[in-house]
Amino acid sequence: MHPQQNKSMEQKKTDEIYHFYRTEKEKHSTALRKLKKSIHHTGTARLLLIIGMIAALWLCRDSELPALIAIAATFLLPFLILVVYHAKLHARHACEEGYIRLCENELKALDYDFSAFDGAPEQIDPQHSFSLDLDLFGEHSLFQSANRTITQMGREMLISLFKQPFDTKSEILTYQKGVREISDMYAFRHKFRVTGEAVSKEMKDIRFLFSEDSGQKRISDSAPLKVLIWLTPAIWVLLIAGCTLNILPVNALWIYFVISFMTANLPARRIQKLHVSVSKTENILKTYSHLMEQIEKEQFRSAILQAYMQKLNGKSANKKSSASFAIKKLSRNTGALDQRFSTMGIILNLIYMRDTRQAIRLEQWKKEYSGKIKEWFDALGAFDAFCSTGAFAFNHPDYVYPTISESYFLMDGKDLGHPLLHRDKCVRNDIHILDSKYFLIVTGANMAGKSTYLRTAGVNFILACMGMPVCAESLTFYPAHLVTSLRTADSLISNESYFFAELKRLKMIIDRLDAGERLFLILDEILKGTNSVDKQKGSFALIKQLVRKGACGIIATHDLLLGTLSATFPDNVYNRRFEADIQNDELTFSYKIREGVAQNMNAIFLMKKMGISGDE
């Protein structure tokens, strides 16, 4: 296909995504406007009912009490119905606002503004094999462009996928099928995100808060407390009946009040410890229950999504065995325990030892479900991560799912582009690494495109290993372990020089190759921390060693003499170049990769342009 036709088709697909989000935004904006009117009318109706009740009671003030109660009930009943309806309208209002925010943020993301999403800056790690060099984390990173997670578990899983992508064909294909399926389920993904948005900022990891405490004495194990939770309210009933029938003096109630206060607080320390572990998790658990229920109601085709859903549904078709049911039950229990210091909570605790009852229920829940908690929340996190990878695929309909080779090594791609470069400015290039012991030596002038080419290859390779579509017209690859060296830095903390830090990186590569690991290497200006003579000799020696060890990859350099290695290793080293063209005293770049060794360099030209060099 002609490049211009291909560009036109890609633009058409992108325009369709823009149109989709704009249409969705308008649909939910229309719904929101209608809801605002309904909320206003409902509020007005409630006010009129209160005014009407007051007026009716005033006009009928001389009537009998039963008549006044009937009048009040006539107005209060519809008022209470409107209160419930008004609350539902507000919930729908918040939901519609969530959908609108989602569409607005996605439209910004299509224009390369990812500020609405978390980039996981704490994951920036110079010691990682490739994440720092490829800008995987932080502001305007690949992770930020893809991240749509709304749970702590999902965020962790997505981070793990970026840092440790799959390295087998079967794993990649399995995950790829899940991404393909969920990318088409935009209604599911959007509802999932909007539902979880309420607690996404809290990002609490509660998987282990409810694990069974081994060796800890439980309140539910205390036989006296089990008797007291029934005996206490029974005695209250007897005392109240006795005082009402004048069989017992009223003072008996006050005496028992003191006794019940002490009885109710016997396990207070243990209840407090339990309460602290679950405090203020009711809303989070309730939201997680809704998310799980949403998953449980769906029908999935891909094996990986079915497997995760099965973890939530349980082996039985009984709804009570599902994760959503159990978590909703837990939410009610923790919410009830949160009310222990309210006025009503204190009164109920004195009457029938409410705190102890709730603590026993919570302990029983833990005993029954603690073994399933991790599995449930791992499954929820997996779906959350899938919603992010699925959204990435949906938002890039012009990207392609790569073909996976079973032979080490292969990375053969056409028109690769960098996902973070604006589509209108991104210059795409091919890549051909057709075997192990195969290196591309890329030479070129400053700013000609060498580093961008390296990062483009690396980023698309990582996306491919993650089971996601890549920014290319086509790509076939082998899932080796990627190691890069593009941004080696010195360290004042560990007292390491730049050169020593680079040597450590290269030593790590050699050690991994000696251990039999299959690597894909992307290196930029190796040994640049030493003088030019040492750099050249060391570079020659290193590349020869890498070839002998069966490695493969891309090495960018300003040292044109490295291009002569292709004469020594004609079957293993291939020269590619990015040129800087100087015409009419102007510097231009095509950013297109070509065969051979670079001919033009631009350092002196640029220095003269900027008035730095005065040499003729």
Side-chain angles (χ1 to χ4, degrees), residues 581-588 605 609:
D581 299 316
I582 302 173
Q583 293 180 346
N584 300 323
D585 203 33
E586 291 294 332
L587 186 67
T588 60
F605 175 84
K609 273 283 190 181

Side-chain angles (χ1 to χ4, degrees), residues 436-440 547 566 568-574:
S436 58
K437 298 183 181 181
Y438 195 117
F439 277 92
L440 296 183
V547 170
S566 61
T568 307
F569 300 102
D571 297 325
N572 308 107
V573 174
Y574 301 85

Side-chain angles (χ1 to χ4, degrees), residues 42 75 97 99 107 120 230 235 262 301 325 341 356 389 399 431 438 475 499 564 572 576:
T42 304
F75 285 91
E97 285 184 327
Y99 277 110
L107 285 169
W230 295 107
I235 293 175
M262 292 187 293
R301 301 184 309 275
F325 178 85
F341 295 122
T356 306
T389 54
Y399 287 17
I431 185 170
Y438 195 117
L475 178 65
F499 183 60
T564 62
N572 308 107
R576 297 292 183 269

Side-chain angles (χ1 to χ4, degrees), residues 374-434:
K374 187 178 184 304
E375 184 177 79
W376 287 344
F377 282 104
D378 283 350
L380 178 62
F383 272 100
D384 193 12
F386 263 112
C387 283
S388 287
T389 54
F392 182 88
F394 180 84
N395 289 343
H396 298 91
D398 52 321
Y399 287 17
V400 298
Y401 288 93
T403 303
I404 307 165
S405 171
E406 295 182 351
S407 302
Y408 175 75
F409 179 79
L410 181 65
M411 188 167 181
D412 188 18
K414 184 177 181 182
D415 283 347
L416 269 69
H418 199 295
L420 300 182
L421 290 179
H422 197 288
R423 63 186 69 86
D424 294 336
K425 299 178 181 178
C426 179
V427 177
R428 299 193 174 197
N429 283 291
D430 298 347
I431 185 170
H432 303 290
I433 302 176
L434 306 178

